[in-house]
Amino acid sequence: MFPSFLRNPTRVAKKPDLSESRELFVAGRTVALAIRENRRATRITLRIEPGGRGLKMTVPKGIRRGEVNDFIERHRGWLETKLARFSGETKIGAGGTIPLRGVPHRIVHTGQIRGTTEAVIEGGEPLIRISGLPEHAGRRLSTFLKKEARHDLERLVAIHTGRLGKPANGLALKDTRSRWGSCSWNGNLSFSWRIVMAPPEVIDYLAAHEVAHLKEMNHGPQFWALCKRLCPGTEAAKDWLKRHGSELHALDFD
């Protein structure tokens, strides 16, 4: 009797899954890279996570590790350019600057333990005044921005649902990094509170976008026609988010 390993001499060993996580040193800092195989992929794709917090690479099934490494090296210059935008200090605190409705505001600590966080104009300069302990500045600022975002979005959603003739079931604020908003099948709208840092016309577009989904649960031609009817500045607002959205995601309030 032949040994069992000779019974199927044509069997080929299965290639190991290339999915892995590694770190790259790019633009003066270490960035996490997640590599995932996808049997439906026909080419290598590389995506920068919102805020430059990491990289995601999708590769075809069975691709050689050398091809992946070559791809990374060929695109290192592109990565350096893109990630350089996020290589600076993103921690928010007193003395820094933060946009509110598209207008840069300098963050000022009042020196008081108790008090409210407020946006004011002093000597012609936009300021956000915060109290409490300095190490709690980020938390106080994010709480303030959430309050302002809710105020703006509730008002805009009411306007757009009134035009649409279809009410929303509810409104929630989240800190999502993969999308700016969403609309569930039962009419619940969700928004990233960070949108309040964008210009007013961009906030209005996001509200109109999600309200349009109450009628059109897709991104087809009818949806975009409705979105543009609710918000004529849709294209300009989309372009602004594409160019500057990651900068808002990169700000660290923790």
Side-chain angles (χ1 to χ4, degrees):
M1 182 179 290
F2 292 103
S4 60
F5 65 85
L6 293 179
R7 290 177 182 171
N8 188 11
T10 60
R11 183 190 304 174
V12 178
K14 183 180 178 181
K15 287 187 177 181
D17 192 338
L18 192 59
S19 298
E20 65 172 280
S21 296
R22 65 170 79 169
E23 293 184 334
L24 294 179
F25 188 75
V26 186
R29 63 191 176 104
T30 301
V31 183
L33 168 64
I35 303 173
R36 297 292 180 265
E37 282 192 351
N38 187 322
R39 65 177 63 256
R40 292 178 295 180
T42 58
R43 58 190 178 89
I44 300 176
T45 59
L46 181 61
R47 181 164 63 91
I48 299 176
E49 291 291 280
R53 295 171 179 267
L55 305 171
K56 279 192 175 181
M57 176 182 282
T58 301
V59 301
K61 197 74 174 176
I63 195 169
R64 293 185 298 106
R65 190 178 302 275
E67 292 181 67
V68 172
N69 295 336
D70 289 344
F71 183 92
I72 293 172
E73 291 307 313
R74 287 200 309 273
H75 291 81
R76 185 170 287 275
W78 176 81
L79 285 173
E80 291 277 355
T81 300
K82 293 293 184 180
L83 291 176
R85 298 164 52 194
F86 310 110
S87 60
E89 179 59 55
T90 58
K91 184 77 173 177
I92 295 299
T97 302
I98 188 173
L100 175 62
R101 300 182 181 96
V103 179
H105 284 62
R106 185 163 59 88
I107 304 167
V108 177
H109 194 276
T110 65
Q112 300 175 349
I113 297 299
R114 299 184 181 277
T116 60
T117 302
E118 58 181 354
V120 298
I121 302 291
E122 290 186 359
E125 181 184 14
L127 306 175
I128 294 182
R129 295 167 53 86
I130 56 174
S131 57
L133 297 175
E135 56 267 32
H136 297 160
R139 186 183 66 193
R140 285 178 172 267
L141 281 167
S142 63
T143 299
F144 170 74
L145 292 176
K146 291 171 188 176
K147 179 182 176 181
E148 296 296 303
R150 180 170 292 278
H151 174 271
D152 286 8
L153 289 166
E154 285 182 344
R155 177 180 60 83
L156 292 167
V157 165
I159 292 173
H160 291 307
T161 53
R163 293 172 178 167
L164 188 66
K166 193 176 180 71
N169 191 45
L171 188 153
L173 297 179
K174 300 180 179 181
D175 193 14
T176 52
R177 304 301 175 103
S178 58
R179 60 175 64 182
W180 284 102
S182 65
C183 175
S184 68
W185 64 270
N186 59 351
N188 287 314
L189 306 183
S190 296
F191 299 94
S192 168
W193 56 263
R194 291 172 181 259
I195 195 64
V196 78
M197 294 185 281
E201 58 271 21
V202 179
I203 306 174
D204 180 53
Y205 156 70
L206 182 62
H209 183 115
E210 299 310 330
V211 166
H213 278 312
L214 293 172
K215 186 174 182 180
E216 300 288 342
M217 288 293 289
N218 55 68
H219 285 103
Q222 290 182 313
F223 165 79
W224 286 114
L226 176 57
C227 191
K228 291 175 183 178
R229 179 160 62 85
L230 294 173
C231 176
T234 286
E235 291 302 326
K238 284 172 58 181
D239 183 62
W240 192 96
L241 277 178
K242 183 177 181 180
R243 289 184 289 111
H244 302 290
S246 290
E247 298 169 16
L248 304 186
H249 284 309
L251 298 176
D252 184 5
F253 294 86
D254 296 327

